[in-house]
Amino acid sequence: MTVIDTAPLAGASASVPTLVHLSGDIDIFSTARLRQRLINTLDHSTDLLVVDLSQVTFCGAGGIGVLIGVQGRARTRGITLALTGVPPRVARLLRITGLDHRFPVMA
């Protein structure tokens, strides 16, 4: 799993989203690192943190757990965590677990 943070430029409007691109597998071996990177990103995020999953090849239950946990932390800071580029397998996992309504999905 690779995380590439793309934060808005210094002085950017709070309406400009912070974008995080993920790629590869989000599994038991990568969830701890992903959790820490996303939590660190919250420190520099605008009001909207968008997680791009378009290059994610696998996302297990642990990865979904990380997204839920980070979303909770984001809410306490007034930050909305949204998803984009959700692959069909991840969308199915979200739908099966009833979490598809929990995360805003951007086109």
Side-chain angles (χ1 to χ4, degrees):
M1 187 260 333
T2 303
V3 178
I4 304 169
D5 297 305
T6 307
L9 298 174
S13 167
S15 64
V16 175
T18 300
L19 185 59
V20 177
H21 300 276
L22 304 182
S23 66
D25 292 350
I26 303 174
D27 56 20
I28 193 167
F29 302 108
S30 61
T31 54
R33 185 170 36 126
L34 174 60
R35 178 182 298 107
Q36 194 56 54
R37 290 294 300 268
L38 290 176
I39 289 170
N40 290 344
T41 300
L42 291 175
D43 292 336
H44 309 286
S45 182
T46 59
D47 293 342
L48 178 59
L49 173 60
V50 179
V51 179
D52 181 356
L53 302 174
S54 61
Q55 299 299 311
V56 170
T57 53
F58 173 81
C59 183
I64 297 297
V66 167
L67 292 174
I68 292 168
V70 171
Q71 183 186 52
R73 288 176 186 246
R75 282 184 180 158
T76 65
R77 298 176 183 211
I79 299 170
T80 299
L81 186 148
L83 305 177
T84 191
V86 182
R89 287 185 176 181
V90 176
R92 183 171 184 264
L93 180 59
L94 292 170
R95 191 171 46 257
I96 288 170
T97 57
L99 296 171
D100 54 334
H101 300 291
R102 182 175 179 136
F103 294 97
V105 176
M106 303 180 72

